[in-house]
Amino acid sequence: MAGIDTEVICFGLSQDGALIVVGDGTGEIKLFTYGECRLIHIENLHAGPVSAVKISPDNTVILSADTYG
């Protein structure tokens, strides 16, 4: 998948199947279109690896968690 240059720890798919979110070992969360695998957003919100991600049913919120400290 374009835009992934580190180990993917977790991922989530939107309920409508249009989006995929991935969390990686560097603390970044990346949002892609599912069909085209086009990177549409990046956030670096965690100090350590992201352990869980989820997209809200209306595709407006991404929840994420880590196990760092």
Side-chain angles (χ1 to χ4, degrees), residues 5-36:
D5 54 1
T6 187
E7 179 183 16
V8 171
I9 304 294
C10 55
F11 70 94
L13 183 64
S14 63
Q15 285 186 352
D16 63 5
L19 301 171
I20 187 168
V21 61
V22 298
D24 70 22
T26 68
E28 282 191 343
I29 298 167
K30 297 177 182 176
L31 184 65
F32 297 87
T33 59
Y34 183 76
E36 301 164 347

Side-chain angles (χ1 to χ4, degrees), residues 9-10 23-29 44-53 63-69:
I9 304 294
C10 55
D24 70 22
T26 68
E28 282 191 343
I29 298 167
N44 194 345
L45 301 174
H46 296 275
V50 180
S51 59
V53 290
L63 302 172
S64 64
D66 66 46
T67 57
Y68 186 75

